[in-house]
Amino acid sequence: MNERLEFRRIQMELETRRQFLKSGALGLGSLWLAQAGFTNDVIATLGSNADRASVRREPHFRPRAKRVIYLHMAGAPSQLEMFEYKPELQKLDGQDCPQEFLSGKRFAFIRGIPQLLGPVFPFRQVGQSGAWLSDRLVHFEKVADKVCFLHAMQTDQFNHAPAQLLVMTGNQSPSYASAGSWVTYGLGTETQDLPGYVVLLSGGRFPDAGKSAWSAGFLPSVYQGVQCRSSGDPVLFLSNPPGTSSEIRAAEIEAIRQVNELTYREVGDPETLTRIAQYELAYRMQISASDAMDIRHESAATLEMYGAKPGEEILANNCLLARRLIERGVRYVQLFDWGWDAHGAGQNEALNYGFKDKCQQMDRPVTALLLDLERRGLLDETLVVWGGEFGRTPMRENRGGKPNEYAGRDHHPHAFTIWLAGGGVKPGFSYGETDSIGYFPVKDAVNPRDLHATILHLLGIDHRRLTYRHQGLDQKLTSVKPARIISEIVA
Amino acid sequence: MRLNRRSVVGLVLASVALLSLARSDEGSGAPTISFATQVRPIFNQHCIACHGGIKQTAGISFVYRDTVVGTTADDGKVVVPGNPGESELIARISSTDPDERMPPQDHGGPLSPDEIGILRQWIAEGARWETHWAFEPPKHRPIPKVSHAEWCRTNLDFSVMEQWDRLGLKPNRPADPATWLRRVSFDLVGLPPTAEELDEFLIDSSPLSREHVVERLLSSPRFGERWASPWLDLARYADTMGYEKDLGREIWPFRDWVIRALNDDMPFDQFSVKQLAGDLLPNASLDDRLATAFHRNTQTNAEGGTDDEEYRVAAVIDRANTSAQVWLGLTLGCAQCHDHPYEPIANAEYYRFLAFFNNTRDYDTDEEFPKAAIPYDRNQSEAASQLDRDIQARKRQIQASVEPWFGDDRWQNAKIESAQATGSNELCFDAVDGLWEIRTGASLTAGSTYTIDCPLPPEATRITAIRLDALPLDVGAAAKLPQPGFILSYFKLQLLVPDRDPIDIPLRYALDEDPEPFYSASESLDSNLQGFSGYPRQSQINRAIFVPAVPVDCPPGGKLRFVLEHHSSSEHLFQIRRARFWYCGDDFWSEPPRQESLELKHCALADLEWRRSRLNSISVPVLSELPPERRRTTFVFHRGSFLEPTEIVTPSTPRALSSSKSNPLADRLELARWLASPENPLAARVFVNRIWNELFGSGIVESIENFGSSGQFPANEALLDSLAIRFQSGMRWRLKQLLREIVLSSTYGQDSSVDRGAWSADPRNRNLARGPRNRLSAEMVRDQALAVAGVLSEKMYGPPVMPPQPDGLWLSAYNGQSWHNATGEDRFRRAVYTYCKRTSGYPGLLSFDAPTRDVCVVKRIATNTPLQALVTLNDAAFVELAHAFGERIRNCDRADPRDKIAWGYRLATSRDPSPKKLDLLLELFEKISKSTDPLKVSDEAETPYSIVASALLNLDEALTK
């Protein structure tokens, strides 16, 4: 079609020119000249003049991972009841916390002198790697040899919303770009018909940081995560309105396209061409997103393996959806599962009640996800990350100075566990150690910047070179502070 | 792929050469090298990573002249003016020894010969170090001579054409009148012209027809509604607090204040001063105080277990950064942790600027104190303002009369004999420096009651008043970093007499030393209220006086018992950590009532407060300054962390911006007056540029958020400066005047389409040789649909509304609020009135790039995405409007479908369709008519007309202005 060829030629002209002019958003990718075919072009030029220039498509070096599934357990799960075995803490159970751990520290809810709380559940060693798991993780035993634990993760935020923002966007304040936005900005997407960055929620609530946790921040809004849902419209406004058949809709979009093409001939504004392309893309997305999000297409065995229940908004469904989306070329799938904040102030947030249930709801589908990805040959090039926004204190929470009614732990920014799997990380490996009660790291601490630098590295991106000009600064996911690629965990 | 840096630089130089041409008339013998456009960019790109604001390796920073340019060869500086051969800089950048050469290989490698040549020539010409253009006041320029003066309609056209004459460009043809009308209608009132307005304009042959249109639009109440949105982006206005819980916040009267001020064309200097410091204006009205809600749009963190001081500081930092963004066009926040990397703004200067904002009462409390009570009925504003002033005056009077009474010399410190607390609190007591006090230990339990017994000496036979001092555990440390606060929920006084039950002493009233505490001592007399407080944090001693109903006669051996109840929640533990008790027998407290006695003053105050409470009002968070004696000390924070205060600073503006004659500014009010004055070289430029961006889609300075040296140069400096100068003088800071000049100009009135060659030569229209063509803003997309559907409500002001949005989008943790789709008129209000929830914005607006309003947003980046198409095609809120629009088309007074569709097309795009386009739409209509049952007309099923209406609303021409 003439318009299409014309469109591509203009885009290339524009792009070349902008690269040389080097103004506004800096981005000197080799995108245009390397691309072939209209549809790729359309994807690559999502957005207006303002952001075309900042699109990069090619990684900086050979990637180990092509895609990411990030499982965030919002509320911060207790490492001491899952992956971090501390027999010494068991011995000290019930004793007053030594003053050295309290003075100068800020706590969300602990007041006065709290008591140490031993692991609430027994641990055992599993697999060849001999990883320690609590008895709450039954299925996970099968994949423990596939994951790489970071036992000495640290943050500097001890409230949920800021800590989630920090681990998602690299900054504790809202308005920064999330890691998923950076990755889609850096690599684009491999799918023509789906958003490149999809967000799935379970647990009945937003993560505490709300939509800011998947915001594009200062990046153009095309890079923000698109929330998909397993009930209702899978993507907001995806379905035709009641009474509008797909034939009618097809005719309407065709008419819009034809009129817009005439407008382009009259006015010559390339934005009109972009708009034509976006309407076609929207139409295709209506079909492919509905299909991708429909887990009823899966076999009964698969549904069983994940514990998925079509129509519900649960973590199991979202784990399965993550795999379906990844299969279809989505670059970054971000899951949030709300409800891990086990303070012990009430039953549903007690370690031996609500938390126990959360473990059960997580154990099976997350295990299934890793097994399923592996079985389909996707694990090698899919990086899976699992974690919370901080850890839990070795002390039993004593809200208002009195031990809480149920066993629970307060927010603990100094040390917690996250794990990675697939996508070029060492399987069956543990990195980082904490002291005998799990309070501070004693070896190989990792902060969120290091984690981000490492995720980008595995994706073939140099975190120092993935930048976007905003407010006079070349902004980076890893900010201006030092960030280290954890090369020790790269396979 | 990495581009060859030389070619990039070459092109940069070629493009900046045009700019330097503009400057070359500054006198003969002028240097050929421009520092600002040629030298500084080299420093910024290659040197400042190690020799800049952050790292100043070897004491050299290319941000500060003094560290670079010397006078003689042996003063240790790397540049010797006039002598490149003696300059270490040249030696290092041209060295062939990789160990010597700058920049080192791992920092980008050697400079190009061109770049070295520029630096060499610059030094040879004297190494002149220019102040960054934007830090110099705008220069007044006479109206230039141009090739086609007859083309120019307003002053700005001359500046535009002057540049064209230099570049050999010509104006584009004028836009057709309908296009101009659509453009100007959206730009001024945010709505498309109605069919009648279009007809009227097209037949109006008077030479002033455009002026008439502009006057009509400028005086429309819709004007303020349209122009409020960009300002509210800057103000980060939202209807919720943000962060985790994202609770509702009633601050919409501020949005209404902005709309009114814009409609009244309040001059921008006044508009600014009121919002930054309306509370400090002499005789401030309630409206002036309401304006300061501008800086209460910062987020409040109500998440459990957060540190209120941390988020108070975060809000103050946001205020400083936002003020710098809005009035200086600078990214001052870069200097928060270290010296600014590019601009000559030192780390400490950031905190000096911040100090202006660090003295307000607000404290990240969930209640969002302090607030102003704004009457719902505007007619009561005046009366309310007057009552507020009277109440203030009364309070000051009372304060003045009791203030001397807080002095220690009038009181006896009560010796403590026992102190007990409920719960696991350890209460110890002893005399420190001769003063008896109680202190809590490490272990604390919420809701504890303290009982303190104090034996009285024989001479204390009569007690007329009690003073209670609540102290931070460490008074010195609290001055640097506030300590946990307290609320004394209930205070009870008893007299202990040997062999008798304790006797309750009724208390008549209580007085705070703090003139405006969030919770007052008098509340401690009622166990249902809050109470005497240092809330939410304590940074100094808080004192309160309690006065018994009648003087207490103490028998020998009598003791006073103080009972202190704390009711605060377990989360906060607002409990007194340390306290002293005092008693006094002076008759001052027990004098019989007489004229102007404390008692009467209290009655008068209570009467005023009662009358004020009768004016039905909404409480809005506002700024309120702490009195001098309670002022905060501002520190430089080490690496930006409030937990590490270092050097003490006093308020001042960055030196780079202050003219030598400007005196140090005393407070926020003086800062506000300076920020919005010609003394600030940036105020008018930054404002004018933002307005230009709003109309043309990009600013004269394209980096509208950054006027610093790392930002871009103005595409037409003369145009920017002449508009800025005239805006702040002739136009007297009036937005409507500025808009009048712009929209009536020939530049603005040009056609937006040009041939491919012209377009490719200037794709972003930096030279303005064509008219603007931009996508509608998020608000305009919705408002247009409302308007053409014929349902747009003209109701103004009031609480935010909830037009339809899908279920299940509001899921904030620990927040029970929900979205209820509005019915009736509120369903169809202008987008500016839509409820704005920070963590879950209205999807239809966010898709079209409306910001979340978390922080100040200077520029919305216009995107073009498939999700936008899904909104305008499928969002129920839109479908409803397409349906209404379809019905309107069906019922219009045209005979056949073709004419009806043409009528609708004109409504949605402000122009007549070409026959070919009309054919296509008619074809769509007929196709659907065939496929649908003509008898089946329900609200659910779409009619052929509503599908055509939907198509019309989705046309490129409809989404564009």
Side-chain angles (χ1 to χ4, degrees), chain B residues 717-729:
Chain B
E717 195 174 353
L719 171 65
L720 179 68
D721 276 6
S722 106
L723 276 175
I725 293 240
R726 283 181 300 116
F727 177 62
Q728 70 190 26
S729 52

Side-chain angles (χ1 to χ4, degrees), chain A residues 7-8 11-12 15-16 19 29-36 40-42 44-45 52 55 57:
Chain A
F7 174 58
R8 217 169 95 213
Q11 295 293 354
M12 287 171 76
E15 202 46 48
T16 314
Q19 286 183 3
S30 59
L31 54 150
W32 278 98
L33 306 171
Q35 297 281 5
N40 280 334
D41 291 354
V42 171
T45 56
R52 274 182 206 127
V55 176
R57 303 287 112 180

